[in-house]
Amino acid sequence: MSGFDDRERAFEAQFARDQDVQFRITARRNRLVGEWAAERMGLTPEETDAYAKAVVQADFEEAGDEDVIRKLAGDLTAAQVEISDAEIRAALNDKAVEARRQFMDKQG
């Protein structure tokens, strides 16, 4: 039975590591997309940093990306930047690739 228990613990540990990695990559993606949106809104470097952090925080409102998309769309529209949900989703996808690359570069 010990072999089975060891395997189960190993799978649980791997799952926890995978979840942690995914969380870090998603948070990095949200920061990058926040910086992207801040640039489009013409924010100062200090405002950009604060805004990027706010986008990361917005992701904790609900599961999935809709909370981040809503925040970005609302803020960009309020700043009179014409943008579609498709453009925001494309930016999220682009920044997800960049975040994963940055994470992997940092690891190795």
Side-chain angles (χ1 to χ4, degrees):
M1 200 65 141
S2 177
F4 179 76
D5 292 340
D6 290 344
R7 245 186 326 198
E8 184 177 14
R9 277 193 292 279
F11 283 130
E12 288 172 356
Q14 181 62 43
F15 179 78
R17 279 191 300 274
D18 291 348
Q19 292 297 308
D20 181 60
V21 166
Q22 188 56 48
F23 173 80
R24 290 171 187 266
I25 290 171
T26 300
R28 182 70 187 149
R29 178 210 61 185
N30 291 342
R31 181 165 185 76
L32 291 170
V33 80
E35 291 169 354
W36 167 83
E39 182 181 328
R40 304 234 11 212
M41 291 185 282
L43 300 182
T44 67
E46 295 80 21
E47 292 169 330
T48 296
D49 186 54
Y51 185 73
K53 289 176 184 174
V55 173
V56 171
Q57 288 293 320
D59 196 24
F60 298 125
E61 292 176 14
E62 63 186 52
D65 294 335
E66 295 307 311
D67 45 0
V68 173
I69 293 168
R70 245 189 334 274
K71 174 167 185 49
L72 292 168
D75 293 345
L76 286 162
T77 300
Q80 298 178 345
V81 175
E82 289 196 28
I83 189 118
S84 69
D85 277 1
E87 288 175 283
I88 292 171
R89 289 178 192 280
L92 276 173
N93 289 334
D94 291 346
K95 299 306 179 186
V97 171
E98 186 177 339
R100 181 169 294 282
R101 181 187 49 75
Q102 288 179 4
F103 182 82
M104 296 311 210
D105 288 349
K106 186 177 163 186
Q107 298 302 306

